[in-house]
């Protein structure tokens, strides 16, 4: 069965701190990778996605993610977080077909 | 419309009651998905439509769950004889033509179902 792991369930950072959220998946072969964000009271929004090519993907709001095939990882990073980045972040994988398999999410709280 | 619209936003049902949840996808989007998000969990796939055809319903947890998209646009997720474990947020997502590389998914705000 497809499995997507997000090991950090809750992360608390101060403004301007650097962020890295881990995402690992459990199967080989060709995959498409996504990070979604859900701000309080809002719907899931796409931050960035990887299909092929440069393994370092840049998304909206200064976020980036690196696909490391040998480690089955797609970690999300941001050099300097802002209070407005407080949200829940979900990693998702698509392996063939059309459906996404999501991780359990990481709740990020950024303190002033 | 500009986004995926779901209604109602909140639904409280008594155990054993039937419920119907509606999704209006983005106009012209061929693919439509339903996901279930339990508290503290990520969304889990329920079913997938391409136009009016239900191509994958492997995620539906029981035969109490039924989804339809008769005209390839609006979709309804129906849950019969609701049980407490059905309490969750039900998310709808749509995407443009399948098979096209780099197509993305747009999610609705979801329907929060509470079964009491």
């Amino acid at each position: 069965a497809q499995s997507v792991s997000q090991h950090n369930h809750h992360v608390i950072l101060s403004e301007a701190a650097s962020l890295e959220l881990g995402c690992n998946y459990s199967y080989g072969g060709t995959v498409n990778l996504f990070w979604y964000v859900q701000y309080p009271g809002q719907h899931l929004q796409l931050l960035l996605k990887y299909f092929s090519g440069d393994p370092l993907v840049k998304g909206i709001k200064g976020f980036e993610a690196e696909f490391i095939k040998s480690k089955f990882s797609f970690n999300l990073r941001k050099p300097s977080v802002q209070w407005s980045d407080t949200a829940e972040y979900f990693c998702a994988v698509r392996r063939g077909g059309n459906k996404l398999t999501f991780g359990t999410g990481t709740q990020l709280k950024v303190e002033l | 419309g500009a986004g995926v619209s779901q209604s109602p936003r909140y639904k409280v049902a008594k155990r054993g009651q039937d419920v119907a949840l509606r999704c209006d996808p983005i106009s012209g989007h061929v693919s439509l998905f339903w996901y279930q998000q339990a508290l503290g969990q990520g969304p889990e796939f329920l079913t997938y439509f391409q136009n009016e055809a239900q191509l994958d319903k492997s995620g539906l947890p029981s035969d109490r769950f039924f989804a339809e998209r008769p005209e390839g646009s609006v979709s309804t997720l129906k849950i019969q004889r609701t049980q407490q474990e059905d309490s969750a947020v039900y998310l709808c997502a749509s995407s443009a033509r399948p098979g096209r590389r780099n197509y993305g998914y747009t999610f609705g705000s979801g329907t929060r179902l509470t079964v009491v």
Side-chain angles (χ1 to χ4, degrees), chain B residues 53-81:
Chain B
Q54 190 175 18
L55 299 186
D56 187 346
K57 55 182 180 179
S58 61
L60 296 176
S62 77
D63 59 7
R64 297 185 296 105
F65 286 71
F66 172 75
E68 60 184 6
R69 194 186 185 198
E71 297 179 358
S73 173
V74 171
S75 178
T76 304
L77 176 67
K78 297 178 180 177
I79 310 173
Q80 297 176 326
R81 305 181 303 281

Side-chain angles (χ1 to χ4, degrees), chain A residues 9-27:
Chain A
H9 297 294
H10 292 89
V11 174
I12 301 175
L13 295 173
S14 299
E15 268 206 329
S18 64
L19 169 72
E20 181 161 3
L21 301 182
C23 173
N24 288 87
Y25 56 95
S26 63
Y27 39 81

Side-chain angles (χ1 to χ4, degrees), chain A residues 91-103:
Chain A
C91 179
V93 178
R94 182 174 67 203
R95 178 176 178 260
N98 291 287
K99 64 185 180 187
L100 296 176
T101 300
F102 285 84

Side-chain angles (χ1 to χ4, degrees), chain B residues 25-48:
Chain B
I26 291 174
S27 179
H29 274 195
V30 170
S31 299
L32 184 146
F33 304 80
W34 284 98
Y35 285 83
Q36 180 191 59
Q37 186 175 14
L39 190 64
Q41 301 296 316
E44 293 198 4
F45 171 79
L46 292 176
T47 187
Y48 161 64

